[in-house]
Amino acid sequence: MEQRRYFFTSESVGEGHPDKLCDQVSDAILDACIKDDPQSRVACETFASTSLVLVGGEITTNTFVDFQKVVREVAETIGYTDPSYGLDCHSMAVLDMIHSQSPDISQGVSGTGLKKYKGQQGAGDQGMMFGFACNETKELMPLPISLAHKLLIKATDLRKKKAIKWLRPDAKSQVTVEYEGHKPVRVDAVVISHQHDPDVSYKEIESAIIEEIVRPVLEPTSLLDNKTKYYINPTGRFVVGGPFGDTGLTGRKIIVDTYGGMGRHGGGAFSGKDPTKVDRSAAYAARHVAKNVVAARLAERCEVELAYAIGVPFPVSVMVDTYGTAVVPEQQIEDAIKKLFDLSPAGIIKALDLRRPLYRKTASYGHFGRAEFPWESTDKAAELKKAIRG
């Protein structure tokens, strides 16, 4: 394995970022549908701009959802409660442009399409999905994206507790880690841009963010040193933000949502999609598989690709790449995966219990690396080891 030194950077965005606002609205609507009708078909897209949130897409459900109420509650929870922020949960306009799912897609998903797949739930679309895991952190996630998320989780906690009273909802972070081979050796640079009230000085902003957010999160890693660089609100001012400073759209932060660029991405966004959409459910399954491979110590790093065809009730391909870190041939790992994991769309939904309202929680700070989600379980690690030995 090559041991060259290099730098890798990942970013995260806070829950008040305009794109993340939209992801949370789309997933809150999905949760509201699936709560009372687990068979709901949802593909909800959200657009946000100054004083406006528009929801559209395709929804077929047997329950009633008050879209106005859901959208305003999400905005309020995030902290958009003041007209001066450019979006106020009480006074903003909420537009509903939702219609029902195409019957052509529905028949493939429901198993009423081609005769040879009758009665079998098919994939809601074609495409490829990737899952990734590595042994850099206890969550088996890449360190740069893990740290970038944790910085903004800390900032949000302080903002909502009013421990730093001048923080506003919009925020971004970025962490650069220096590696030797696949081993993180130090944090080289930290970037945080956080929206703030207009009457606070830059000196106060810089000091508070470094001392109350950055250091408490990163010092326990022992990877900070006297050469670590800090870039706090690099333009010098970040008052105008959220949907007033930039429009928001569901599904525009797919790298933030996954592995921070370390590991490939099939291109499909997650938020607003019910679990019949393999863009989402198969990406979760691929992460589940990859994490179990690493947890079983069959490899230090593992990427899994799954590919599907619309209406077809099984993956058309399964691929494992361990970047040369596997302790057994990759073909053996692939064979064990195919034996132990049901990677059909119906099998994924059943194994991960995806027909329940858990999606809004995923829509900020990453879909992976958080133990609360079922795809983060390492329940198959022992079985994988046994299958390989067998």
Side-chain angles (χ1 to χ4, degrees):
M1 185 190 306
E2 187 180 7
Q3 293 298 310
R4 75 179 183 93
R5 296 179 81 92
Y6 61 94
F7 298 89
F8 195 92
T9 302
S10 295
E11 73 158 348
S12 180
V13 297
E15 60 191 59
H17 185 280
D19 293 332
K20 275 293 145 201
L21 162 69
C22 292
D23 285 344
Q24 289 168 89
V25 167
S26 293
D27 272 340
I29 289 172
L30 169 59
D31 279 352
C33 292
I34 216 167
K35 177 178 179 289
D36 294 323
D37 179 9
Q39 302 299 320
S40 295
R41 301 279 175 78
V42 179
C44 180
E45 311 289 349
T46 303
F47 168 85
S49 189
T50 305
S51 301
L52 167 69
V53 175
L54 182 151
V55 291
E58 304 83 46
I59 295 180
T60 301
T61 184
N62 289 322
T63 190
F64 169 76
V65 175
D66 185 337
F67 296 118
Q68 287 266 345
K69 183 178 179 181
V70 171
V71 174
R72 294 184 191 281
E73 190 271 332
V74 170
E76 182 175 23
T77 300
I78 291 170
Y80 283 113
T81 57
D82 189 323
S84 69
Y85 296 172
L87 190 76
D88 172 34
C89 62
H90 304 293
S91 61
M92 66 189 187
V94 178
L95 302 183
D96 171 10
M97 301 294 289
I98 287 170
H99 57 92
S100 61
Q101 186 184 58
S102 158
D104 297 341
I105 296 174
S106 181
Q107 72 174 16
V109 175
S110 302
T112 58
L114 290 178
K115 191 173 183 179
K116 61 182 175 179
Y117 302 135
K118 286 286 186 191
Q120 301 179 75
Q121 180 180 321
D125 202 352
Q126 70 176 46
M128 64 282 190
M129 298 83 210
F130 291 91
F132 182 83
C134 60
N135 62 0
E136 294 176 20
T137 64
K138 64 181 177 62
E139 301 90 1
L140 304 186
M141 284 288 287
L143 184 64
I145 188 66
S146 178
L147 295 179
H149 287 322
K150 288 176 181 178
L151 287 170
L152 293 184
I153 290 170
K154 178 69 171 179
T156 300
D157 182 57
L158 294 175
R159 173 175 64 87
K160 290 187 173 181
K161 289 178 176 176
K162 300 190 182 302
I164 304 179
K165 294 181 179 180
W166 40 261
L167 290 177
R168 289 185 173 185
D170 199 356
K172 300 180 79 171
S173 67
Q174 187 171 285
V175 177
T176 300
V177 174
E178 185 175 356
Y179 282 80
E180 185 174 318
H182 290 320
K183 182 182 178 183
V185 293
R186 57 182 294 273
V187 171
D188 183 69
V190 179
V191 182
I192 293 188
S193 295
H194 209 301
Q195 189 184 16
H196 58 85
D197 288 345
D199 56 353
V200 59
S201 71
Y202 178 77
K203 185 176 180 180
E204 183 179 354
I205 293 168
E206 182 181 43
S207 175
I209 288 177
I210 291 175
E211 298 304 325
E212 298 182 51
I213 297 171
V214 176
R215 292 196 184 280
V217 171
L218 299 188
E219 281 185 343
T221 68
S222 302
L223 295 176
L224 294 181
D225 59 27
N226 57 12
K227 294 183 179 179
T228 301
K229 299 175 283 290
Y230 303 97
Y231 302 93
I232 309 301
N233 284 15
T235 70
R237 183 176 170 86
F238 186 9
V239 173
V240 177
F244 182 63
D246 191 9
T247 55
L249 194 65
T250 299
R252 280 204 300 205
K253 288 292 176 280
I254 60 176
I255 300 302
V256 170
D257 284 344
T258 53
Y259 309 101
M262 193 175 289
R264 285 168 282 197
H265 196 296
F270 300 157
S271 289
K273 297 178 181 179
D274 74 79
T276 68
K277 279 74 170 175
V278 285
D279 275 347
R280 180 169 219 162
S281 55
Y284 291 168
R287 163 64 176 173
H288 185 221
V289 173
K291 187 172 183 181
N292 275 271
V293 169
V294 175
R297 298 187 179 180
L298 298 174
E300 295 177 13
R301 303 164 78 79
C302 181
E303 183 175 77
V304 174
E305 185 200 36
L306 306 176
Y308 294 83
I310 189 167
V312 178
F314 48 81
V316 299
S317 71
V318 178
M319 184 278 296
V320 170
D321 183 358
T322 63
Y323 303 84
T325 68
V327 298
V328 297
E330 288 174 346
Q331 184 63 56
Q332 283 187 249
I333 298 174
E334 285 181 9
D335 291 343
I337 287 167
K338 291 173 184 177
K339 178 181 177 182
L340 294 175
F341 293 87
D342 183 349
L343 297 173
S344 67
I348 292 168
I349 290 170
K350 181 179 179 181
L352 299 180
D353 192 15
L354 296 181
R355 291 196 186 276
R356 56 192 173 99
L358 53 74
Y359 296 102
R360 181 177 169 185
K361 293 179 183 178
T362 69
S364 48
Y365 313 118
H367 292 243
F368 306 120
R370 296 155 62 189
E372 62 196 293
F373 301 134
W375 48 90
E376 293 298 313
S377 167
T378 55
D379 56 331
K380 296 285 189 180
E383 291 180 76
L384 274 171
K385 280 184 180 179
K386 184 177 179 180
I388 294 293
R389 286 198 302 267

